């Protein structure tokens, strides 16, 4: 005898049917945080995690007496209604405290018979992104009003299943956020060490250094301590690349994996043009077989004069932005780069510093990889667990 378990079909609803109301936020500017009343604006919602970024807290510049209708409560979801971030969403967490929401946000108050976490996860799916892209089209700035948000279709299972799915994604989001915080802390720690271990402008010794290295640092031109191997670079369009295991580097890092290589050994790659961040200019250390296109300069430290790992970090602390030429795709010319002034200690100290930062970079890469993998896992689950 076979026993068949009935599987309940998911029901299609519009977002307006699962919410009691859609309300616009407080029309007030922000002021310095008063220690109690927090103010969330579009820019305070993290682009990646969709959490309330509380690094630079503010309060509403408004008399808050009789303004409790603008306070967020459990079960509230916010939607950005205008501008480049239209569609960005946030689900209120009680741990976020006493939060008022601003006027360019719309609040949906989710009914008690639906799980707000489950409804919120629907706003992170590709189907939602497609809805935003189509619905937000305007003759001017993109935007979506409350009535249009209310028309977004959602498929819902029974409440118990919603809660299980919502909690599953909540735990996954918390894990991603935990590793992201560790990653940010490591990057901040590295930045602090870079400021202390390399001499300031006009100084000949750093404020922090390894023991038994009392000598002053020397200033040299980059061309005196490194060779350039741009002549070996070969750009290959994506359609003509042969898939393989060799990392294919551009201005901002690995773009692909290919067969063959252009360089083998220990090198430093410095963006030539197309840098994605001209303030934190892309400089990276590579080792082994690599393929480099014509958007990254290739340097190698001169033997027994400079250490590659050290040199990568000393270039990173330089302010390269003023040296760039060109318009939208700013370029670092090779002759300008090779004249860059760099400060160096004796070779043994360079090696210690280079190894120290390599360990930090390895740890940063470890956590970055974990975050990236978790995000891929989440995207896969979102694709397969929602209709």
């Amino acid at each position: 005898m076979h026993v068949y378990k009935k599987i309940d079909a998911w029901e299609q609803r519009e977002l307006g049917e699962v919410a009691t109301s859609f309300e616009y936020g407080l029309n007030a500017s922000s002021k310095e945080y008063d220690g109690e009343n927090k103010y969330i604006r579009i820019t305070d919602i993290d682009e990646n995690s969709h959490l309330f970024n509380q690094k630079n807290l503010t309060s509403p510049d408004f008399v808050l007496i009789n303004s409790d209708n603008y306070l967020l409560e459990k079960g509230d979801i916010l939607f950005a209604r205008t501008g480049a971030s239209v569609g960005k969403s946030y689900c209120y967490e009680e741990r976020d405290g006493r939060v008022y929401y601003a006027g360019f946000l719309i609040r949906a108050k989710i009914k008690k018979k639906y799980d707000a976490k489950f409804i919120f996860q629907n706003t992170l799916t590709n189907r939602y992104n497609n809805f935003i892209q189509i619905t937000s089209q305007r003759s001017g700035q993109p935007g979506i009003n409350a009535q249009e948000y209310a028309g977004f279709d959602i498929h819902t299972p029974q409440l118990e299943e919603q809660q299980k799915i919502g909690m599953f994604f909540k735990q996954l989001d918390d894990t991603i956020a935990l590793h992201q915080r560790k990653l940010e802390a490591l990057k901040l720690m590295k930045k602090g060490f870079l400021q202390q271990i390399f001499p300031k402008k006009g100084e000949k010794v750093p404020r922090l250094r390894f023991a038994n290295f009392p000598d002053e640092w020397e200033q040299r031109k980059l061309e005196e301590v490194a060779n350039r191997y741009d002549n070996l670079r070969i750009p290959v369009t994506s359609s003509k690349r042969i898939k393989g295991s060799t990392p294919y580097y551009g201005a901002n890092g690995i773009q692909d994996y290919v067969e063959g290589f252009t360089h083998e050994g220990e090198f430093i790659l410095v963006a030539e043009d197309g840098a994605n961040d001209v303030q934190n200019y892309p400089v990276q250390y590579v080792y082994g077989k690599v393929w480099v296109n014509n958007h990254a300069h290739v340097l190698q430290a001169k033997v027994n004069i400079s250490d590659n790992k050290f040199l990568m970090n000393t270039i990173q602390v330089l302010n390269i932005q003023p040296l760039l030429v060109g318009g939208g795709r700013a370029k670092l010319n090779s002759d300008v780069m090779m004249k860059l002034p760099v400060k160096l200690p004796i070779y043994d100290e360079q090696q210690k510093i280079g190894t120290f930062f390599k360990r930090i970079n390895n740890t940063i890469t470890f956590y970055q990889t974990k975050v990236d993998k978790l995000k891929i896992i989440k995207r896969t689950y979102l694709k397969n667990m929602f209709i």
Side-chain angles (χ1 to χ4, degrees):
M1 179 179 177
H2 296 285
V3 177
Y4 295 96
K5 183 178 179 180
K6 182 182 176 182
I7 300 175
D8 295 322
W10 288 29
E11 296 181 350
Q12 184 173 326
R13 295 278 185 269
E14 288 189 345
L15 186 57
E17 295 178 77
V18 304
T20 58
S21 63
F22 287 82
E23 301 158 319
Y24 292 90
L26 188 61
N27 186 20
S29 58
S30 61
K31 66 177 182 180
E32 187 176 346
Y33 180 48
D34 63 14
E36 179 184 6
N37 302 296
K38 300 174 184 178
Y39 200 31
I40 187 168
R41 302 154 297 174
I42 292 176
T43 52
D44 296 317
I45 301 172
D46 187 88
E47 293 283 351
N48 297 310
S49 68
H50 288 252
L51 297 174
F52 181 14
N53 186 342
Q54 303 197 31
K55 287 182 180 177
N56 299 298
L57 285 173
T58 62
S59 294
D61 191 6
F62 194 79
V63 178
L64 297 176
I65 299 171
N66 299 323
S67 296
D68 284 359
N69 53 315
Y70 295 110
L71 267 176
L72 295 178
E73 299 175 327
K74 186 177 180 180
D76 288 353
I77 299 175
L78 296 181
F79 298 91
R81 66 182 177 91
T82 188
S85 297
V86 64
K88 188 159 63 168
S89 57
Y90 156 75
C91 185
Y92 173 70
E93 299 275 354
E94 289 180 303
R95 65 187 179 191
D96 286 339
R98 185 178 177 86
V99 183
Y100 292 85
Y101 70 105
F104 287 108
L105 293 166
I106 297 171
R107 171 175 63 182
K109 297 191 74 66
I110 305 304
K111 293 177 180 177
K112 301 296 183 185
K113 63 179 182 178
Y114 295 98
D115 184 74
K117 295 185 185 71
F118 171 83
I119 302 300
F120 168 68
Q121 292 296 332
N122 275 270
T123 71
L124 307 180
T125 62
N126 287 334
R127 194 170 63 80
Y128 175 79
N129 291 335
N130 292 335
F131 165 80
I132 296 299
Q133 189 173 3
I134 294 168
T135 311
S136 65
Q137 292 180 10
R138 300 284 194 271
S139 58
Q141 196 172 11
I144 300 180
N145 60 38
Q147 185 177 358
E148 289 169 322
Y149 271 120
F152 175 60
D153 286 332
I154 287 179
H155 293 80
T156 61
Q158 296 295 317
L159 178 60
E160 185 181 358
E161 188 175 358
Q162 290 180 45
Q163 290 170 332
K164 285 183 179 293
I165 294 172
M167 184 54 65
F168 170 78
F169 279 102
K170 176 67 168 59
Q171 291 170 345
L172 185 55
D173 285 340
D174 286 347
T175 304
I176 293 172
L178 173 64
H179 289 306
Q180 189 68 53
R181 286 194 296 272
K182 289 180 180 178
L183 181 61
E184 289 171 1
L186 281 165
K187 288 179 178 179
L188 195 62
M189 181 182 74
K190 179 186 174 182
K191 185 178 179 181
F193 278 126
L194 284 170
Q195 291 172 347
Q196 296 292 318
I197 290 179
F198 288 85
K200 302 283 185 183
K201 186 176 181 180
E203 296 178 349
K204 293 184 177 181
V205 293
R207 300 181 182 184
L208 181 67
R209 67 194 310 186
F210 291 97
N212 303 318
F213 292 107
D215 297 337
E216 292 183 348
W217 289 33
E218 246 182 56
Q219 182 165 301
R220 311 279 288 273
K221 289 180 181 177
L222 187 57
E223 64 186 1
E224 297 178 77
V225 298
N227 295 312
R228 184 166 59 89
Y229 293 97
D230 289 1
N231 59 309
L232 300 177
R233 303 177 304 177
I234 303 175
V236 184
T237 58
S238 58
S239 60
K240 293 184 178 180
R241 294 173 201 157
I242 301 173
K243 294 294 181 184
S245 58
T246 303
Y248 179 90
Y249 283 91
N252 302 297
I254 297 174
Q255 293 185 337
D256 205 345
Y257 287 88
V258 298
E259 188 179 289
F261 62 94
T262 57
H263 300 74
E264 183 177 13
E266 198 178 13
F267 298 95
I268 303 145
L269 305 184
V270 182
E272 178 175 354
D273 62 290
N276 57 11
D277 188 346
V278 295
Q279 292 182 331
N280 299 295
Y281 206 73
V283 183
Q284 52 206 315
Y285 168 86
V286 297
Y287 178 79
K289 292 180 179 179
V290 296
W291 192 302
V292 187
N293 69 18
N294 60 337
H295 297 298
H297 293 298
V298 184
L299 300 173
Q300 188 175 62
K302 291 184 178 181
V303 179
N304 295 328
I305 295 176
S306 183
D307 175 77
N308 282 289
K309 292 187 282 289
F310 168 84
L311 198 56
M312 184 271 290
N313 286 288
T314 200
I315 295 172
Q316 272 191 335
V317 300
L318 298 174
N319 182 15
I320 291 176
Q321 186 176 2
L323 306 174
L324 303 177
V325 295
R329 194 174 178 88
K331 182 176 182 178
L332 176 64
N333 288 323
S334 59
D335 55 341
V336 173
M337 178 183 69
M338 297 307 284
K339 300 293 183 187
L340 284 170
V342 292
K343 293 178 180 177
L344 305 95
I346 62 171
Y347 187 68
D348 286 350
E349 188 174 2
Q350 288 183 48
Q351 288 183 307
K352 280 189 174 291
I353 293 171
T355 301
F356 173 75
F357 279 107
K358 183 68 169 65
R359 287 171 181 159
I360 295 178
N361 288 336
N362 287 344
T363 309
I364 288 173
T365 300
F366 171 76
Y367 279 105
Q368 184 66 66
T369 302
K370 289 192 79 168
V371 169
D372 292 343
K373 285 182 177 179
L374 284 167
K375 287 179 178 179
I376 291 170
I377 290 170
K378 181 179 178 181
R379 284 198 298 270
T380 303
Y381 279 129
L382 284 170
K383 184 179 179 181
N384 291 294
M385 292 180 72
F386 290 86
I387 297 174

